[in-house]
Amino acid sequence: MVQELVTSVITAGCVGFVYLAAAMRVVKQYERGVVFRLGRQTGEPRPPGLAMIIPFVDRLYKVNMQIVTLPIPAQEGITRDNVTVRVDAVVYFKVIDAANALIRVEDYKFAVSQMAQTSLRSIIGKSDLDDLLSNREKLNQGLELMIDSPAVGWGVQIDRVEIKDVSLPDTMKRSMARQAEADRDRRARIINADAEFQASKKLAEAAQQMADTPAALQLRLLQTVTAVAAEKNSTLVLPFPVELLRFLEKAQREPESYQSLARSASRAAPGPPKPLVEGARASADPGDPAPEEAPITPVRSTADAVTPDPDGSAARTRT
């Protein structure tokens, strides 16, 4: 009798232990447990810790609440400016409602992946190549909104979306390299032209200053010769400025101008007056009395005089 009682107690203890083992579930800190009793959800999701269910009646599903990193495969598309590119991205999301993540969608990870791929293709078609390369923050925000809108009903929250890489065709890479090289060449030429303009202004000011003080030009020439000679070259190139030639030519012309002025002044000086008086010619008959002398006609210069003709006709001016 006692032996049968002990056997029944041991059997009941073993059954109870098996029942407890089948009824106990451990939910981790980063998980939530959703209990389905005969196919229907019962109560709120179980918090982390020890959870008890009815064996063979309840079924416990654990949902990970951690942030999931989901890479998006590279998607090939054509941008708005007709450039073929391949773009890949990564999505960071987490489950905020464990029950909806199990009930509303069959596989929330696969659903988020497909939604991310279609949204990425849509973003590629709506954007230009320059936006994909330089304005990624705006594209990331737009892509996040496109994925997050349907994911909210699945109990999933999109934390962040990042575009990782944009692959371009080789021809486009070469074209962009040529464009960048041309742009840098243009900048270099503009900077060089600006430097030349500033240098020309300074040189003009220096030339004006040297024109006011001709000795400065000679000093500058000597300094240049000294600087060239200090290089220990076998050949010495001596610059000869044009201003110095003009100065020498001017100095050579000044004595000639002085001599020409002296000659012109000597020719213009008046000499002693030379009176020219011509009397009337004697008559042909020697017996006639001599005619009276003609009066002296005053003249204004020694170069001009009025002389009557031999026959007593009109006077003629002689120069």
Side-chain angles (χ1 to χ4, degrees):
M1 185 70 179
V2 175
Q3 186 177 0
E4 293 179 356
L5 181 61
V6 172
T7 303
S8 60
V9 170
I10 293 173
T11 304
C14 292
V15 172
F17 179 78
V18 172
Y19 179 81
L20 291 176
M24 288 189 302
R25 295 289 187 275
V26 177
V27 180
K28 298 179 181 180
Q29 182 66 36
Y30 54 86
E31 295 176 340
R32 296 294 183 271
V34 181
V35 179
F36 289 91
R37 181 169 296 170
L38 299 178
R40 179 185 294 273
Q41 179 187 359
T42 59
E44 295 295 329
R46 303 297 174 86
L50 183 62
M52 301 298 295
I53 61 174
I54 300 175
F56 309 108
V57 177
D58 296 342
R59 187 177 292 275
L60 179 67
Y61 293 92
K62 300 177 183 180
V63 180
N64 192 339
M65 306 296 289
Q66 290 177 320
I67 295 177
V68 180
T69 302
L70 181 65
I72 302 176
Q75 303 296 314
E76 185 174 355
I78 300 176
T79 61
R80 191 167 56 181
D81 50 354
N82 299 325
V83 178
T84 303
V85 295
R86 290 177 59 88
V87 182
D88 56 351
V90 59
V91 181
Y92 301 91
F93 69 94
K94 64 180 178 179
V95 177
I96 57 176
D97 191 343
N100 290 335
L102 288 175
I103 297 172
R104 297 292 183 86
V105 63
E106 180 180 2
D107 186 354
Y108 64 89
K109 291 184 179 180
F110 181 75
V112 171
S113 175
Q114 295 300 313
M115 179 58 64
Q117 294 180 29
T118 55
S119 300
L120 183 59
R121 286 178 175 270
S122 178
I123 286 293
I124 293 173
K126 294 179 181 179
S127 304
D128 295 333
L129 180 61
D130 294 337
D131 294 335
L132 289 175
L133 296 176
S134 61
N135 196 11
R136 293 190 180 183
E137 291 295 333
K138 184 178 179 180
L139 296 179
N140 292 337
Q141 294 177 2
L143 188 60
E144 180 180 349
L145 290 176
M146 294 179 67
I147 301 174
D148 189 60
S149 297
V152 172
W154 305 336
V156 177
Q157 179 182 357
I158 305 299
D159 282 350
R160 192 174 182 87
V161 180
E162 292 288 343
I163 295 176
K164 291 197 302 182
D165 187 22
V166 178
S167 300
L168 300 175
D170 294 336
T171 57
M172 181 58 62
K173 291 180 180 179
R174 289 193 293 269
S175 299
M176 294 178 67
R178 290 195 300 267
Q179 179 182 1
E181 184 178 358
D183 185 63
R184 291 183 180 276
D185 190 13
R186 178 182 63 85
R187 293 180 184 178
R189 291 186 178 182
I190 291 175
I191 294 173
N192 191 15
D194 190 14
E196 291 292 338
F197 176 70
Q198 295 179 5
S200 63
K201 291 177 64 177
K202 295 297 182 182
L203 288 175
E205 295 177 0
Q208 184 177 3
Q209 186 68 25
M210 289 184 179
D212 296 337
T213 56
L217 182 62
Q218 302 296 329
L219 294 177
R220 183 58 181 168
L221 178 60
L222 295 176
Q223 291 178 358
T224 305
V225 172
T226 305
V228 173
E231 297 294 333
K232 298 181 181 180
N233 293 328
S234 59
T235 303
L236 178 62
V237 179
L238 179 62
F240 202 72
V242 180
E243 288 78 4
L244 185 58
L245 293 177
R246 292 177 180 175
F247 176 75
L248 296 176
E249 184 180 1
K250 184 178 179 182
Q252 184 179 1
R253 287 181 178 179
E254 285 181 356
E256 296 179 357
S257 62
Y258 292 154
Q259 294 176 5
S260 61
L261 289 175
R263 287 196 296 267
S264 61
S266 63
R267 286 197 299 267
K274 181 179 181 182
L276 296 177
V277 178
E278 293 183 4
R281 189 180 61 177
S283 62
D285 191 3
D288 293 338
E292 298 179 355
E293 294 181 357
I296 297 174
T297 304
V299 295
R300 296 183 180 180
S301 63
T302 60
D304 298 342
V306 178
T307 307
D309 288 340
D311 55 356
S313 60
R316 183 180 59 183
T317 304
R318 184 182 61 185
T319 304

